């Protein structure tokens, strides 16, 4: 039996942190498999540190398929919605949509693992790939194994970086575009868009969770960059 198509629309969201963006793009290019069909679109939230010039150059060199420059910081949720909408106009055959924040390190084989998860678990709608999110011992209690693949919904969402089935977007599920707010003490008051996105996917009847294997992690904390 032939395998189902796997064509990945990747939306790289950037906002300053030029060195992080460069590392993320490098790790993506060096780890994605030769047989994975993908389209990469970068959506920049009005960076002012040279990121926009870098993205233009990367696009001209063929390292990025399309670049979108927002006139202001729209925050990740709205930026991802824009990326998915424009990306699907240019890459209409995509079967899965990936949000890639500009602080992720990926390991070779991540894309094949993603494909295996979605093929093994028909009810899986959203797959997270930031392994650091489930390294706390409390996460072990939530892990579930389905058809040989273990997913973990801890801590109740998959965070920003994730892959969804195209059908979820076609069915109208979107990121909430409300900007983050805090109470002046750096405590989030308004729930972040990634949590609300996972909740919307769950309400639509889909399962979500992190992949169990360590194929990706954030390096926003410089101590995480190995």
């Amino acid at each position: 039996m032939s395998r189902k198509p796997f064509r990945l629309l990747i939306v790289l969201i950037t906002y300053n942190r030029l060195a992080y963006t460069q590392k993320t793009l490098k790790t993506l290019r060096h780890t994605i498999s030769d047989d994975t069909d993908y389209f990469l679109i970068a959506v920049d939230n009005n960076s002012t540190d040279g990121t926009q010039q870098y993205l233009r150059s990367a696009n001209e060199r063929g390292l990025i398929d399309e670049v979108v420059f927002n006139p202001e910081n729209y925050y990740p949720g709205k930026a991802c919605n824009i990326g998915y909408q424009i990306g699907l106009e240019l890459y209409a055959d995509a079967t899965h949509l990936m949000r890639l924040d500009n602080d992720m390190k990926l390991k070779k084989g991540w894309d094949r693992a993603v494909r295996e998860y979605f093929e093994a678990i028909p009810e899986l709608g959203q797959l997270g790939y930031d392994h650091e999110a489930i390294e706390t011992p409390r996460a072990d209690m939530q892990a579930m194994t389905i058809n040989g693949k273990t997913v973990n919904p801890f801590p109740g969402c998959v965070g920003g970086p994730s892959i969804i089935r195209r059908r979820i977007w076609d069915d109208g599920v979107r990121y909430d575009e409300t900007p983050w707010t805090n109470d002046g003490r750096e405590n989030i008051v308004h729930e972040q868009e990634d949590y609300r996105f996972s909740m919307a996917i769950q309400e639509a009847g889909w399962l979500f969770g992190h992949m169990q294997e360590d194929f990706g992690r954030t390096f926003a904390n410089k101590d995480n960059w190995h």
Side-chain angles (χ1 to χ4, degrees):
M1 180 181 295
S2 61
R3 304 181 72 182
K4 294 181 179 179
F6 181 72
R7 293 181 288 270
L8 194 57
L9 170 61
I10 304 174
V11 175
L12 172 63
I13 301 172
T14 61
Y15 178 58
N16 293 324
R17 305 194 303 180
L18 173 58
Y20 282 11
T21 297
Q22 292 170 325
K23 288 179 180 179
T24 298
L25 183 57
K26 180 178 180 180
T27 190
L28 173 65
R29 292 176 50 238
H30 288 177
T31 59
I32 197 163
S33 304
D34 292 338
D35 58 352
T36 294
D37 191 348
Y38 74 99
F39 185 94
L40 174 61
I41 178 171
V43 181
D44 182 74
N45 272 330
N46 198 30
S47 295
T48 58
D49 66 343
T51 295
Q52 293 194 1
Q53 292 87 337
Y54 168 74
L55 293 176
R56 287 191 181 93
S57 175
N59 178 233
E60 292 170 356
R61 290 180 289 148
L63 304 180
I64 298 175
D65 296 299
E66 183 67 23
V67 181
V68 176
F69 297 106
N70 291 329
E72 59 185 274
N73 182 7
Y74 285 156
Y75 288 75
K78 185 173 182 177
C80 196
N81 285 341
I82 291 171
Y84 286 166
Q85 179 177 345
I86 295 176
L88 287 171
E89 292 172 358
L90 300 171
Y91 187 58
D93 291 335
T95 62
H96 295 75
L97 316 180
M98 175 177 177
R99 168 177 162 177
L100 177 63
D101 291 354
N102 69 332
D103 57 7
M104 290 299 300
K105 178 184 180 182
L106 301 170
K107 296 182 180 179
K108 200 166 185 63
W110 67 267
D111 51 331
R112 291 176 177 170
V114 167
R115 178 172 188 160
E116 290 173 358
Y117 267 87
F118 280 107
E119 288 182 344
I121 309 176
E123 62 269 36
L124 180 63
Q126 182 185 30
L127 181 66
Y129 54 90
D130 182 1
H131 186 75
E132 186 180 30
I134 58 171
E135 289 181 342
T136 175
R138 290 183 298 155
D140 292 340
M141 296 183 293
Q142 297 193 30
M144 63 185 81
T145 300
I146 303 171
N147 298 331
K149 292 295 181 182
T150 300
V151 293
N152 197 323
F154 182 86
C157 70
V158 300
S162 65
I163 300 101
I164 65 171
R165 293 184 189 270
R166 162 74 177 274
R167 179 180 164 184
I168 288 175
W169 177 267
D170 290 344
D171 286 346
V173 178
R174 301 289 187 270
Y175 277 99
D176 188 324
E177 298 181 356
T178 306
W180 304 335
T181 58
N182 63 61
D183 63 1
R185 295 171 297 180
E186 300 304 319
N187 295 319
I188 297 296
V189 172
H190 192 89
E191 293 171 341
Q192 290 179 256
E193 87 293 329
D194 50 8
Y195 175 82
R196 300 195 301 277
F197 192 56
S198 288
M199 291 302 98
I201 290 171
Q202 185 179 58
E203 290 170 3
W206 296 92
L207 175 72
F208 66 83
H210 298 275
M211 66 167 65
Q212 187 72 6
E213 297 89 348
D214 186 1
F215 276 111
R217 60 179 57 228
T218 181
F219 57 83
N221 179 341
K222 65 181 179 180
D223 295 333
N224 291 337
W225 181 254
H226 302 296

